[in-house]
Amino acid sequence: MPDVDITSVTVGAAGVGRLDDGRVVFVSGALPGERVEVEVTEHKERFARGVAVGVYEPVALGRRAEPCPFVAEGCGGCDLQHAHEDLQVELKRRIVLESLERLGRCVDPVVEHGPALAPLGYRTHLRVRIVEGKPALRARGSHDLVPIDACLTAHPLVDELLAEAHFADAAEVTLRVGARTGERLALVGPRVGNATFPADVEVVGFDQIAGARRAWFHEEVAGERFRISARSFFQTRPDGADVLVAEVDDVVGEVAGSMVDLYGGVGLFAATVGKGRDVILVEQNRSSVADAKANLDGSRARIVRARVEDWKPSRAPVVVADPARAGLGKTGVAKVAATEAERVALVSCDPGSLGRDAGLLAAAGYDLVRSRLVDLFPQTSHIEVVSRFDRR
Ligand SMILES: C[S@@+](CC[C@H](N)C(=O)[O-])C[C@H]1O[C@@H](n2cnc3c(N)ncnc32)[C@H](O)[C@@H]1O
């Protein structure tokens, strides 16, 4: 097995080095500055992928023993536990920086760290597979499943259910809780069957949700209360959502006037940053739109159920856009530009998409002023960034 010097890190937090034949190799479990022994798992003509099986020169103050016992059993739920939290956020910052430079062709982009959030016990949303009645998560780099009866990153209200619920013959379960309301919901697939949960948990099957049944829980963020249905997206932690709201407000708060909230979900930004403004919220998901209508009742928001790609843009001085992983892309950027907004807050959950969107926005007349990392998912390579774009 080859030894490789790791020189940088890339999306997914894989270390980057070179094999003796000159090909780039992406090595999971390796950190920049280390020399590692690599088991190559995939050969391509121009690059390879592998896993670090031995580390010769650990980075001083960077590498640590993984705090979760299930990592040693192969659990792939968290892929950055081998790095201290300070190093985790710095690696993520470098990934964002590199993506903005390489994909977005941004010159000297400013990428800042946001405030630190609790590194453990934060996930209020956890989807598990059920194997012989036990919850399980995907193994690293494979479709195998690793049984777990606890999760260090899960919120205590979720963690408790991993140990206390009886999953019986379910195939998969999504556990969702309101950390600040204490409300809990279990979405069980394909049906509830013999699964049982503590009495406070609202339990609903995929089959029931596909029919007429509605099920939701509530969460509080930035002083507002949100209804969140079983199939509606919501940020994975309310303290992180507080920070996202504060960061978006920091970007657009000083610009007066109406706001367009693209990919608006159940109304997180419309109800907070958009409070007191005329808001147009655009969202495609039926369940999220129903929640947004309930959450924004009595406000000045108009909710449009549509794909952003199909929406007929209205003019507004402020746009907040929080797309899924694919980012805005060409069409999304064209919609943003058509609003003639003077200020855009882009919330990105994929650094590659952010880089591409920054390039497209620049071509459409919007300059990147700064990006700020909000580390919503410590221990994992997931990246969340709030960026400010000003119209040229
Ligand atoms: C990352 S979530 C953000 C939601 C909301 N801004 C929040 O913070 O809670 C992205 C949202 O975009 C919606 N979505 C995904 N693709 C879309 C599209 N093409 N057009 C409109 N909405 C879309 C999803 O249903 C989801 O609610």
Side-chain angles (χ1 to χ4, degrees), residues 232-235 244 261-269 282-285 288 306-309 320-325 347 349 384:
S232 300
F233 173 90
F234 202 68
Q235 304 291 344
L244 284 181
D261 182 11
L262 299 178
Y263 313 88
V266 305
L268 177 66
F269 298 121
V282 185
E283 165 63 47
Q284 71 169 7
N285 177 270
S288 299
R307 294 169 74 235
V308 166
E309 296 84 331
V320 176
D322 183 8
R325 290 207 146 177
V347 184
C349 57
E384 191 85 11

